């Protein structure tokens, strides 16, 4: 069959599946749906059959899958249909090849080429470079500068955000803010051993003995504490710059380890959480996490 001609008279090239590049797709938050919370049996059957999701027996709810993918920035609506035809799209673990299936962006787990994408526009993810002297709270009864002061100026009114972990007032650096409670909880849970990297300026000229001691473990009043990685970056005029990487979340863990080792901390900056880095962000700076950073975080906590 002769391919249809374009306006200039040349045949229209058939769009190959390999030509579709999934870009600008945001990884989605974890969607846990227990059996107890499943919809009515009729709805489950309808979903398995690829039919529209029916609510109250006869009212369709949700949006067409290709429209949801287009709004999420995965591809144009037409190319999203090609992805569906090619079997590259999953909804709740089931490969969808039928056009017109409706989904609920607030509930359904959608993957393209095995990568979960964020179709819930209400989810927000930010990185803040917390300045020294700022409280790691969204508000402060004593009127002290806090994280909420920065966020309120740059985030839509009414949006509630969680800070993932804390940095004490004297500690600077990377703090993740999100309204994705599941991600926040998992990043802080010791089970997933999410690593954090710090740069500490300490009093005293450190050497390999300190590195060895940090890796072997230092006995604190609440148990042994070990660094996953330690390095003396520089020494100068009685001070040293030490890089530590650890997955522990005990209070003031870095300061206590270095003090016990004989090198009191003069300045402490968290520069990295898993693969998310401060880079050249200025103190007080706020930016949105990019897609690759979100993907990495979700993989780290098995979401």
């Amino acid at each position: 069959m002769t391919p249809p001609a374009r306006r200039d008279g040349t045949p229209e090239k058939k769009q190959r599946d390999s030509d579709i590049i999934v870009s600008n797709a945001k990884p989605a938050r974890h969607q846990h749906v227990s059996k107890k919370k499943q919809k009515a049996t009729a709805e489950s059957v309808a979903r398995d059959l690829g039919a529209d999701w029916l609510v109250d027996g006869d009212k369709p709810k949700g949006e067409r899958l290709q429209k949801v993918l287009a709004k999420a920035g995965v591809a144009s609506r037409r190319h999203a249909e090609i992805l569906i035809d090619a079997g590259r799209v999953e909804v709740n673990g089931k490969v969808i090849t039928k056009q017109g299936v409706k989904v609920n962006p607030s509930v359904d787990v959608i993957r393209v080429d095995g990568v979960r994408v964020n179709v819930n526009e209400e989810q927000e993810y930010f990185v803040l470079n917390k300045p020294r002297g700022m409280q790691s709270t969204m508000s402060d009864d004593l009127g002290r500068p806090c994280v909420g002061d920065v966020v309120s100026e740059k985030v839509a009114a009414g949006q509630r955000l969680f800070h993932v972990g804390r940095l004490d007032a004297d500690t600077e650096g990377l703090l993740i803010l999100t309204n994705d409670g599941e991600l926040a909880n998992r990043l802080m849970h010791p089970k997933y051993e999410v690593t954090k990297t710090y740069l500490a300026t300490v009093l005293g000229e450190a050497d390999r003995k300190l590195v060895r001691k940090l890796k072997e473990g230092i006995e604190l009043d609440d148990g042994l504490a070990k660094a996953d990685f330690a390095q003396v970056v520089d020494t100068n005029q009685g001070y040293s710059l030490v890089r530590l990487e650890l997955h522990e979340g005990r209070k003031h863990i870095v300061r206590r380890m270095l003090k016990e080792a004989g090198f009191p901390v003069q300045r402490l900056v968290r520069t990295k959480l898993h693969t998310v880095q401060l880079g050249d962000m200025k103190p007080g700076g706020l930016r949105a996490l990019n897609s690759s950073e979100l993907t990495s975080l979700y993989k780290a906590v098995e979401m």
Side-chain angles (χ1 to χ4, degrees), residues 219-247:
E219 193 66 43
L220 303 177
D221 55 5
D222 54 356
L224 191 69
K226 292 183 179 181
D228 300 322
F229 172 84
Q231 176 189 23
V232 177
V233 178
D234 190 24
T235 57
N236 185 35
Q237 297 182 350
Y239 292 90
S240 300
L241 184 63
V242 181
R243 179 183 288 114
L244 292 90
E245 182 178 299
L246 65 165
H247 59 266

Side-chain angles (χ1 to χ4, degrees), residues 99-167:
Q99 300 295 337
V101 173
K102 288 189 177 180
V103 296
N104 184 340
S106 298
V107 176
D108 294 322
V109 179
I110 300 174
R111 292 183 175 88
V112 177
D113 292 335
V115 177
R116 188 178 305 181
V117 295
N118 185 8
V119 294
N120 189 336
E121 296 178 352
E122 296 180 357
Q123 296 300 318
E124 300 284 358
Y125 307 86
F126 298 97
V127 175
L128 170 69
N129 184 356
K130 189 188 86 65
R132 189 171 188 171
M134 178 176 283
Q135 304 295 316
S136 291
T137 56
M138 302 312 292
S139 63
D140 187 79
D141 295 337
L142 301 178
R144 295 171 297 184
C146 65
V147 169
D149 297 335
V150 177
V151 174
S152 63
E153 298 176 359
K154 301 183 180 181
V155 180
Q159 182 68 275
R160 184 186 178 192
L161 297 175
F162 306 95
H163 45 82
V164 180
R166 288 175 178 267
L167 294 175

Side-chain angles (χ1 to χ4, degrees), residues 208-271:
R208 292 182 180 179
K209 292 181 180 179
L210 173 63
V211 172
R212 184 168 60 251
K213 186 178 296 186
L214 291 170
K215 289 182 177 180
E216 292 176 350
I218 295 177
E219 193 66 43
L220 303 177
D221 55 5
D222 54 356
L224 191 69
K226 292 183 179 181
D228 300 322
F229 172 84
Q231 176 189 23
V232 177
V233 178
D234 190 24
T235 57
N236 185 35
Q237 297 182 350
Y239 292 90
S240 300
L241 184 63
V242 181
R243 179 183 288 114
L244 292 90
E245 182 178 299
L246 65 165
H247 59 266
E248 290 222 41
R250 282 182 275 172
K251 189 174 182 179
H252 304 312
I253 186 70
V254 174
R255 292 181 182 276
R256 290 193 292 145
M257 289 175 68
L258 288 168
K259 182 179 180 180
E260 187 65 26
F263 294 88
V265 172
Q266 307 301 298
R267 184 187 180 193
L268 185 61
V269 182
R270 182 157 70 191
T271 60

Side-chain angles (χ1 to χ4, degrees), residues 27-31 118 122-125 159-162 164 176-187 294 298 303:
R29 66 182 175 90
H30 176 63
Q31 304 282 355
N118 185 8
E122 296 180 357
Q123 296 300 318
E124 300 284 358
Y125 307 86
Q159 182 68 275
R160 184 186 178 192
L161 297 175
F162 306 95
V164 180
I176 291 181
L177 306 171
T178 181
N179 57 355
D180 187 340
E182 181 68 19
L183 176 63
N185 289 333
R186 290 196 176 210
L187 286 174
L294 281 171
Y298 280 115
M303 287 177 66

